Every structure is written in structure tokens, then in C-alpha cells.
Amino acid sequence: MGHMLVLGGARSGKTGFAERLAMALGKFPAYLATAEAWDEEMEQRIARHRSDREDRFHTIEEPLELAEQLRASAPAHDVILVDCVTLWITNLIMAERNVADAVDELIEALDEITTSQIIFVSNEVGLGIVPDNAMARQFRDLAGTAHQRLAKVCETAVFVVAGLPMVLKGTLPPAGNDKRIHEA
Amino acid sequence: MGHMLVLGGARSGKTGFAERLAMALGKFPAYLATAEAWDEEMEQRIARHRSDREDRFHTIEEPLELAEQLRASAPAHDVILVDCVTLWITNLIMAERNVADAVDELIEALDEITTSQIIFVSNEVGLGIVPDNAMARQFRDLAGTAHQRLAKVCETAVFVVAGLPMVLKGTLPPAGNDKRIHEA
Amino acid sequence: MGHMLVLGGARSGKTGFAERLAMALGKFPAYLATAEAWDEEMEQRIARHRSDREDRFHTIEEPLELAEQLRASAPAHDVILVDCVTLWITNLIMAERNVADAVDELIEALDEITTSQIIFVSNEVGLGIVPDNAMARQFRDLAGTAHQRLAKVCETAVFVVAGLPMVLKGTLPPAGNDKRIHEA
């Protein structure tokens, strides 16, 4: 019944993997979208994703107050998929919030939420060349630090490549129980 | 006898790993190079690679018509190493072809090729900071989507780091049978 | 008693993981820092790291002569953590040294050092989009090649994501012996 962290690169299939996991584990799964549209490209992507999942998940939109929203939503949902942590961090930076403090609050909320499973999806962004601009470097550091902190308190953590999970910590539900988790 | 996907970063040793795999598995292995030289740096790299492998592989050069070429080459080769998918996608974009359609055709061809093993090498490019320019983002999305689709139809998929494979799916031939696969 | 390679992205927790490993394995562990401060951001990071570890490790600073320094320091230290290889490569490039030759010398030294365990930490930088500038591409190639060479001579190699190790080669000390390795 522990919380889970699903890390992966861009178009790695991490969200699809997490969605299959959430559907296999939850009877009343919610999808908590942290995305805010900054431009048309993003707007289209959000709308496409929303319509893709609307018959499977109850959608919650929350760009900033993640800890508070998880506490409020947990009683009605046995599984809440948070997609994604890196966008939430971007939103916090844009709103000039303190990211470390917000992560502290999130970790605290996770500790209290014992009747729902939270599945976090996040982008691994630290495996390329050091970015030229300081803001990208700062974002990369904040994301990496948040991932380490979440991995520590989650029961399960996976790294998804090409739609396939490598287990970093814990165990995945057996493939035999629900093939949808392992094969899209 | 299933097809294989070998993913890895730049200079991760993915091609060397796939070459050792192809030599261990095939009696008449072919090397299908998708590279086209756009500049001198690339020209030199292609020439160096070609001379490195010429006594071990029959070389085929095919920048665009991958599905067609694999169908044509499969009867003569029990193993065909395709190096690499990301360059093929780049070539398709440059030639203003529809990448999703080309990937569909490739997947269809793979399903039909049952007497040869195709080993795909490809660059994982989605684990750094979001690129500034829209074309790089589009390329990254197309590559990631292609990797997910190939991973689904391949029997084996690995992620190579520092020359060493992590298995994403399936099983590798045992190291005991041919040490060359696991140690360069 | 073999040497080890700990790869990971920026803020992946690779140094923390390697430090816990070094403390668990060594009675007289040394920390060999290759960092040279190029700017204030770096200066602050180095100072913070130094004060963080000063009661646990003997610190050695060596930006360039890594092989020589390891030979000199091995008699007094059963474990030497080198943090990090990518900064050492950067220093070599800045000093206009031949990186391939320096890696040759390092590999030779490793073969001779049989009474100490050397733990190398290095940044995986090859998993993003191809960088625009030729120098970044060259650095990426040199780093990737060095990682492959070190992985070949090390007994153990791991890839760290979110503070958690995936084993590429060899085996880690069992978590039961020293939990500090697996949980910060």
C-alpha cells in the first residue's frame, strides 16, 4: 500500500506505465495533473491527454498546492497518480515559491496519507550535458533533489525506458496479475 | 529468434555491444548503416566505423527505406544489425517523410521477418533538460515514441550504460556461451 | 577488493551513494576531489561538500595527476573515492592534455593498486539531445569512452537514479551488512 515513484525521460512511456499501474491497483483512481499551459504546444498536449484518460480517471488539476490537494483528495481515491513532479517544480519556480519547503510539505503529507497510494510520475532531466543557463541548472538540481527525497519515502521506485520499467526499489505487482502493467 | 532493441546514450558502447551480440548470434550477419554524412566530423566517423567492421559484417547502407531493405536483406542474413534508429528518424525528417507512418511500416515488416533476427541500435535522447528549440523537442518525441513501439514488438530490449547492458525485457544469451557479448 | 564505478546524472545521489559505500568498506577512507572552482557557484559547492565530509574522510585535492596521486595515496588508505571523473576530464581538456593518454595511465595505475579499493564517481552526460557545440560533443565522447574503459577494469559498476543503484556489473555489499549504503 506504499507510495510509488515512476521516473523516466521524455516520451519514455512513464505516464502510460503509471496509468496502467494506477488502473490495476485502484478501484477509484484519480489523476492529479500539475500541468499549466504556457503555450499552444502545451495546451494541445494537455487537452489530448485529458480526453485520452477521461473514462478511466477522475481528473484533478492542481499546479501548486500539491500536499494540500493530496490530503483533500485521498479520502475519495484509493490511488492518486500525480503527473508530474517536474512540472509542479516548474510551477513553483514560476510562482516564486520555495521548492525545498514545498517538497518538505509534500513528504510530510505522504507520511500522513496511509489509506491511499500516491503514484508520482517525474521526468529524469539530469543525464545530458550541463545546461548553459543557470536557471536550467538550478531546475535540474531541484528536480534531482526532489527525486532523491521522494525515492526515500516511496516503497517502490522504477526507472522507465522505452515503456519498460527497471526497478530501483521495492517490487512491482506481478505481471501475471495484470498484464496491462507490463505491456501497453 | 526474436528481434532485439539496444538503447543507450552517446558513447555508451551500445553499438559495440550490439555488434558482439550479432556476431555471437549470426552466421551471416549484416550491418545495416542508416548514417548519411552531413559534415566532415560525421564522414570521418562513418569511415572509421566501416573499416572497423568490414571483416566481420556484410555492410548495407540504407538511410530511408528501412522496412523495404530489411525485407530484401533478410533472406541472405540470419542477423541484421540496424545502426541506428535515431539517425534513420533524422533522415526521414530531413527528407520530409512522415515518421509515424515509416515506423508503422517498419513494425509491419518486423512481424513478417521470422527467419532473421533484427537487432536495432538507437540513441536514448530524452533524459536531459527540455531542449530550447521546437525541432529538437519534436525529434526527441518521435524517437521516444519509436523506441516504445519497437520495445513492444521486440523480444529483448536492453539499456546500455558504460558498455554494460541492463535488461529491460526478455533475456540475453548467457555470458558463459560467448563472453564477447558481455566483455568487449 | 576490486575497484568500483558509480555513474549517475546530476543530483542523482551518486556521490552520497559512493560516500556511504566508501565508509562501509574502508577503515581509512580518503576522498579525492578533482574539482577546481571556475566560478563562484562552483566555489560554494566545493566548500559545502568539503565541510560536509571532513569528519569522515581524509580529503585529497588533485585536479590533473590522478594516476600519480592514486599511487601515492593508496598505501595510507584502504578506500579512495574519486569524485569525479568527468571533472577530471574537464580539467585535462582545459589544461590541453591528451585525455586518452591520461585514461591509459589511470587504467595502468588501477591494475597496480591491489591493496586499496578505488571508487570512481562520474557523471553520465550522454543521454540528452546531441549538443549544438562541437566542444560539448567532444567532451561527451571523451567521458563516454572513459566510462566504458573504467567499467571494463572495475569489478563493480552501478548506475544511480534518485539515490538508488542499479547494478551494471558485479555485486554490491549486501544491504543487511550496512544499511547506510542503500538508504541515506
Side-chain angles (χ1 to χ4, degrees):
Chain A
M1 222 23 206
H3 307 308
M4 298 187 174
L5 177 63
V6 177
L7 290 169
R11 296 285 154 164
S12 62
K14 60 190 182 305
T15 294
F17 176 79
E19 288 185 358
R20 296 191 296 279
L21 205 55
M23 285 188 292
L25 296 171
K27 284 186 179 167
F28 310 101
Y31 181 101
L32 193 161
T34 60
E36 278 191 312
W38 302 101
D39 56 28
E40 212 182 318
E41 189 185 339
M42 191 90 173
E43 184 81 65
Q44 287 170 11
R45 191 173 282 204
I46 290 175
R48 197 173 61 242
H49 285 173
R50 191 189 294 122
S51 80
D52 279 356
R53 65 171 185 266
E54 63 191 5
D55 53 341
R56 299 170 287 132
F57 289 97
H58 174 79
T59 293
I60 301 159
E61 299 196 339
E62 180 53 64
L64 290 169
E65 308 299 344
L66 189 50
E68 203 175 313
Q69 186 60 257
L70 287 174
R71 272 195 188 97
S73 302
H77 299 285
D78 49 356
V79 171
I80 303 172
L81 191 169
V82 177
D83 188 17
C84 68
V85 174
T86 28
L87 279 174
W88 174 60
I89 291 173
T90 303
N91 296 340
L92 289 169
I93 294 171
M94 294 299 183
E96 301 187 0
R97 300 282 191 94
N98 184 304
V99 175
D101 289 351
V103 173
D104 282 344
E105 284 171 42
L106 175 60
I107 300 282
E108 212 175 303
L110 287 178
D111 190 48
E112 290 165 25
I113 298 170
T114 53
T115 55
S116 304
Q117 266 182 302
I118 317 299
I119 304 177
F120 294 96
V121 173
S122 197
N123 257 302
E124 175 54 57
V125 295
L127 288 157
I129 282 287
V130 181
D132 279 335
N133 80 78
M135 204 184 173
R137 283 199 302 277
Q138 190 209 7
F139 169 69
R140 203 168 73 138
D141 286 357
L142 291 167
T145 304
H147 293 163
Q148 287 185 53
R149 296 198 59 198
L150 285 171
K152 217 179 282 190
V153 299
C154 284
E155 196 173 287
T156 308
V158 298
F159 181 58
V160 175
V161 173
L164 301 164
M166 290 189 280
V167 174
L168 293 164
K169 182 181 179 177
T171 45
L172 285 173
N177 289 356
D178 193 327
K179 283 223 163 176
R180 284 173 306 168
I181 297 173
H182 296 269
E183 298 284 336
Chain B
M1 219 28 201
H3 307 308
M4 296 186 178
L5 177 62
V6 177
L7 290 169
R11 296 286 155 164
S12 63
K14 61 191 182 303
T15 295
F17 177 79
E19 288 185 357
R20 296 191 295 280
L21 205 55
M23 285 187 293
L25 295 171
K27 285 186 179 168
F28 310 102
Y31 182 102
L32 193 161
T34 60
E36 279 192 311
W38 302 101
D39 56 28
E40 212 180 316
E41 188 185 339
M42 191 92 174
E43 184 80 65
Q44 287 170 12
R45 190 173 283 204
I46 291 174
R48 197 174 62 242
H49 286 173
R50 191 190 294 120
S51 81
D52 278 356
R53 66 170 184 265
E54 64 190 2
D55 54 340
R56 298 170 288 133
F57 289 97
H58 174 80
T59 292
I60 302 159
E61 299 195 341
E62 180 52 63
L64 290 169
E65 307 299 344
L66 189 49
E68 203 175 311
Q69 186 60 257
L70 286 174
R71 275 196 187 93
S73 302
H77 300 284
D78 48 358
V79 171
I80 303 173
L81 190 169
V82 177
D83 188 17
C84 67
V85 174
T86 28
L87 279 174
W88 174 60
I89 291 172
T90 303
N91 296 338
L92 290 169
I93 293 170
M94 294 298 184
E96 300 185 2
R97 302 282 191 94
N98 183 307
V99 175
D101 289 353
V103 173
D104 282 345
E105 284 172 42
L106 176 60
I107 301 283
E108 213 177 300
L110 286 179
D111 190 48
E112 291 165 24
I113 297 170
T114 54
T115 56
S116 305
Q117 265 181 302
I118 317 298
I119 303 176
F120 294 96
V121 173
S122 198
N123 257 301
E124 175 55 57
V125 295
L127 288 157
I129 282 287
V130 181
D132 279 335
N133 81 77
M135 203 183 175
R137 283 200 300 277
Q138 189 208 9
F139 168 71
R140 203 168 73 137
D141 285 356
L142 291 167
T145 305
H147 293 164
Q148 287 185 54
R149 297 199 58 199
L150 285 171
K152 218 179 281 189
V153 299
C154 284
E155 196 174 285
T156 308
V158 298
F159 181 56
V160 176
V161 173
L164 300 164
M166 289 188 281
V167 174
L168 293 164
K169 182 182 179 178
T171 45
L172 285 173
N177 289 356
D178 193 327
K179 283 223 164 176
R180 283 174 307 169
I181 297 173
H182 296 269
E183 297 283 339
Chain C
M1 223 23 208
H3 306 308
M4 297 187 176
L5 178 62
V6 177
L7 290 169
R11 297 283 154 163
S12 63
K14 60 190 183 304
T15 296
F17 177 78
E19 288 185 358
R20 295 191 295 279
L21 205 55
M23 285 187 292
L25 296 171
K27 284 186 181 167
F28 310 100
Y31 182 100
L32 194 161
T34 60
E36 279 191 312
W38 302 101
D39 57 28
E40 211 182 317
E41 189 184 339
M42 192 91 173
E43 184 81 65
Q44 286 170 11
R45 190 172 284 203
I46 291 175
R48 199 174 59 244
H49 286 173
R50 192 190 293 121
S51 80
D52 278 357
R53 67 171 183 265
E54 63 189 4
D55 53 340
R56 299 171 287 131
F57 289 97
H58 174 80
T59 292
I60 301 160
E61 299 196 340
E62 179 54 65
L64 291 169
E65 307 299 345
L66 190 49
E68 202 175 313
Q69 185 60 257
L70 287 174
R71 274 195 187 96
S73 302
H77 299 284
D78 48 358
V79 171
I80 302 172
L81 190 169
V82 177
D83 187 18
C84 67
V85 174
T86 27
L87 279 174
W88 174 60
I89 291 172
T90 303
N91 296 338
L92 290 168
I93 293 170
M94 293 301 184
E96 300 186 1
R97 301 283 190 91
N98 184 306
V99 175
D101 289 352
V103 173
D104 282 345
E105 283 170 43
L106 175 59
I107 300 283
E108 212 175 301
L110 286 179
D111 190 48
E112 291 164 24
I113 297 169
T114 53
T115 54
S116 306
Q117 266 181 302
I118 317 298
I119 303 177
F120 293 96
V121 173
S122 199
N123 257 302
E124 175 55 57
V125 295
L127 288 157
I129 283 287
V130 181
D132 280 334
N133 81 78
M135 204 183 172
R137 284 200 300 278
Q138 189 209 8
F139 169 70
R140 204 167 73 136
D141 286 357
L142 291 167
T145 304
H147 294 165
Q148 287 185 55
R149 296 199 58 200
L150 285 171
K152 217 179 280 187
V153 299
C154 284
E155 197 173 284
T156 308
V158 298
F159 181 57
V160 176
V161 173
L164 301 164
M166 289 188 282
V167 174
L168 294 164
K169 181 182 179 178
T171 44
L172 284 174
N177 289 355
D178 193 329
K179 283 221 164 174
R180 283 173 308 167
I181 298 173
H182 296 269
E183 297 284 337

